[in-house]
Amino acid sequence: MTQPLDIVSGALRSIGALESGETPEPEAANDAFNLLNDMLAQWSNEHMMIHYQTEVIFPLVGNTYQYTIGPGGTVGAVLTGSVSGFTLTVTSITSGAIAIGQTLSGTGITAGTTIASFNTGSGENAAGALGTYTLSNSMTAGSTTINAYYQRPIRINSAFVRVSSIDYPVQILSNEDYKLIGLKALNGPWPRALYYQPSELLGNLTFWPNPSSGEMHMYCDTILGGFNTLQDIIKLPPGYNNAMRYGLAELLMPEYGKNSQAQNAMIFNQAARGRALIKRSNMQPMQTAKFDPVIMSGRPNDAGWIMSGGFN
């Protein structure tokens, strides 16, 4: 199992600041560790450096068209559950919906713990959400109230709203597109468009038209999680460890200046190759839903036609 200390030590060896088998001094290790977290935050700004999209799920409240997302925001869940080891057992949901990637807080919950995967629980807010989930950290906590929230998204890539088991696409609007809507308070059965403003602490979500019901599903890019300590266990897909090592070495070189031009070239090449391989693995082909052209002729390209059986 790799730890941030291994990445830091490997980067320092690559630039000649450490010999094989040496351990960095605490001050040097902490400086490099902080730079490593800064580098991961910077990578988050590149869509293809993020290895997964978080599916944010939450029920819409009638006649409410603005929400906030992030720690302390209105998008999240309140649940009752207990934790044994890496397993969270959810016994009830007070509000919101459960989804992978949510950060948990509550009595006995280790800071920074997230929901890593479904087990017997299937998420969302129906009866199937009750059950067990795998967490990112191991701990023991008795039955308690737990708040589950999402990190503030960097961007929202796509979205749909679910109404009576039918999914309708929701368009993501730019600031300029949203300003062109003349009647922003228009009421409707469900939203057809979403404007996202990622402010400093919380993200602001504005839907149009003002929905009366529905369950939102948004696919978002969120910041690559930094590490809390040098001894954390790194849980990233294959390829990230090497890319982090040489990317960190690339950033540390100006501070040490011990390596030769040949070492410089090798580190630059390895860092660039590592990032390129990650982007290649994370790249997804563009896909669009297709319907029978005879059925869809003259009709909007969404699931709304199902409500009328495909006939006018």
Side-chain angles (χ1 to χ4, degrees), residues 25 84 92 109 132 135 143 190 204 224 252 273:
E25 294 292 331
S84 177
S92 67
I109 305 298
T132 58
L135 302 182
S143 182
W190 57 77
N204 298 300
L224 283 169
L252 287 171
R273 184 170 183 269

Side-chain angles (χ1 to χ4, degrees), residues 287-303:
Q287 295 181 349
T288 57
K290 299 184 184 300
F291 301 97
D292 189 316
V294 175
I295 295 177
M296 292 303 299
S297 178
R299 298 176 176 86
N301 188 22
D302 63 24

Side-chain angles (χ1 to χ4, degrees), residues 86-142:
F86 287 96
T87 302
L88 163 68
T89 302
V90 176
T91 54
S92 67
I93 301 177
T94 303
S95 63
I98 300 175
I100 292 174
Q102 286 177 322
T103 301
L104 307 182
S105 65
T107 303
I109 305 298
T110 303
T113 298
T114 60
I115 297 178
S117 64
F118 296 145
N119 197 342
T120 62
S122 57
E124 302 190 21
N125 58 355
L130 306 184
T132 58
Y133 299 82
T134 301
L135 302 182
S136 60
N137 295 318
S138 176
M139 70 204 78
T140 299

